[in-house]
Amino acid sequence: MEITGYKYTIEQEAIDAREVVDTYYGIPVSPDSVTQNWCEYETANLDTPVFYFIRFDESLTVVLGQPIIFEVTTPILPSF
């Protein structure tokens, strides 16, 4: 599947990117806020090597810059 977003080879890089976005947008407002992160990263477990990514949203451009387009392997779902 083709994804537009931000790709990271090390999980800590994805965590750091998420934290930068959270800081920019002032999230969370408090430790017990429902919203704890502005965005979330995902793991491309079926790819070798495994990598981490954040899907693009226009609100991320100001913090993370321009996104890239990359492929993520997704499971094949059975047809019925």
Side-chain angles (χ1 to χ4, degrees):
M1 173 192 323
E2 193 172 81
I3 299 286
T4 301
Y6 307 91
K7 184 176 176 182
Y8 306 95
T9 55
I10 300 169
E11 186 174 18
Q12 189 60 51
E13 293 173 340
I15 292 168
D16 292 346
R18 181 183 64 188
E19 289 178 0
V20 168
V21 173
D22 289 347
T23 299
Y24 182 84
Y25 285 106
I27 303 293
V29 175
S30 67
D32 60 340
S33 293
V34 173
T35 303
Q36 290 294 306
N37 300 105
W38 186 264
C39 64
E40 190 55 79
Y41 70 90
E42 300 176 59
T43 305
N45 286 321
L46 298 178
D47 288 284
T48 304
V50 170
F51 62 90
Y52 308 88
F53 63 97
I54 297 173
R55 292 176 190 260
F56 174 71
D57 181 83
E58 192 65 43
S59 67
L60 300 176
T61 306
V62 67
V63 184
L64 300 179
Q66 291 301 311
I68 61 170
I69 297 171
F70 51 92
E71 291 290 325
V72 175
T73 303
T74 56
I76 299 171
L77 300 175
S79 57
F80 296 95

